[in-house]
């Protein structure tokens, strides 16, 4: 599929897709005449990049994670990266729960006074 279709499917701008290609996050798709033809793998990677950025990852971090071996993405490395994000989010959730408990304790003291 062409870049316009990919942009609609992923919700990314054409400019962003070209930037990710330029930075090596996605392999340049083969051309059909003058046009790049993107595959389902390109869509998967673009969605991954989009989601990872929403979770706070930078393009530089992603560049270290989206590694190609023999022209294919090393999905294990990507999985390990996502697992690290998950663990960090769980830690943040625990820290927030502790803070909520502290606020509740303060409220209890205030309400019994």
């Amino acid at each position: 599929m062409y870049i316009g279709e990919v942009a609609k499917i992923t919700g990314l701008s054409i400019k962003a897709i070209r930037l990710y290609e330029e930075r090596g996050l996605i392999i340049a798709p083969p051309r059909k005449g003058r046009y790049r033809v993107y595959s389902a793998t390109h869509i998967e990677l673009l969605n991954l990049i989009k989601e990872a950025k929403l979770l706070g990852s930078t393009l530089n971090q992603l560049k270290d994670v989206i590694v190609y071996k023999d022209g294919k993405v090393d999905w294990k490395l990507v999985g390990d990266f996502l697992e690290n994000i998950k663990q960090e989010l769980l830690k943040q959730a625990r820290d927030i729960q502790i803070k909520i408990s502290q606020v509740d304790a303060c409220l209890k003291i205030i309400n019994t006074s």
Side-chain angles (χ1 to χ4, degrees):
M1 72 189 70
Y2 298 131
I3 197 166
E5 295 172 85
V6 173
K8 285 179 187 173
I9 290 169
T10 61
L12 295 167
S13 69
I14 290 172
K15 184 178 178 179
I17 294 168
R18 288 187 176 140
L19 173 69
Y20 300 154
E21 183 181 329
E22 186 179 294
R23 295 252 181 119
L25 294 169
I26 62 170
I27 289 179
R31 291 186 176 266
K32 184 178 182 181
R34 300 179 358 171
Y35 301 100
R36 297 173 175 105
V37 180
Y38 293 83
S39 68
T41 300
H42 287 106
I43 303 273
E44 289 174 3
L45 282 170
L46 290 167
N47 282 327
L48 170 72
I49 293 165
K50 179 180 164 183
E51 293 299 319
K53 285 189 66 184
L54 288 173
L55 293 169
S57 298
T58 66
L59 292 182
N60 284 336
Q61 288 173 317
L62 292 171
K63 177 73 174 136
D64 293 338
V65 171
I66 302 174
V67 175
Y68 293 87
K69 292 183 180 177
D70 299 322
K72 296 184 180 183
V73 176
D74 182 351
W75 288 108
K76 181 179 181 334
L77 189 59
V78 172
D80 292 345
F81 175 72
L82 293 174
E83 186 62 39
N84 287 337
I85 289 175
K86 177 182 171 182
Q87 293 307 315
E88 181 58 34
L89 290 170
L90 288 170
K91 181 187 177 307
Q92 290 173 16
R94 288 189 298 271
D95 291 347
I96 288 170
Q97 190 57 50
I98 290 169
K99 289 176 183 178
I100 290 170
S101 295
Q102 291 169 332
V103 169
D104 285 342
C106 291
L107 287 170
K108 186 176 180 181
I109 291 169
I110 291 170
N111 291 330
T112 58
S113 299

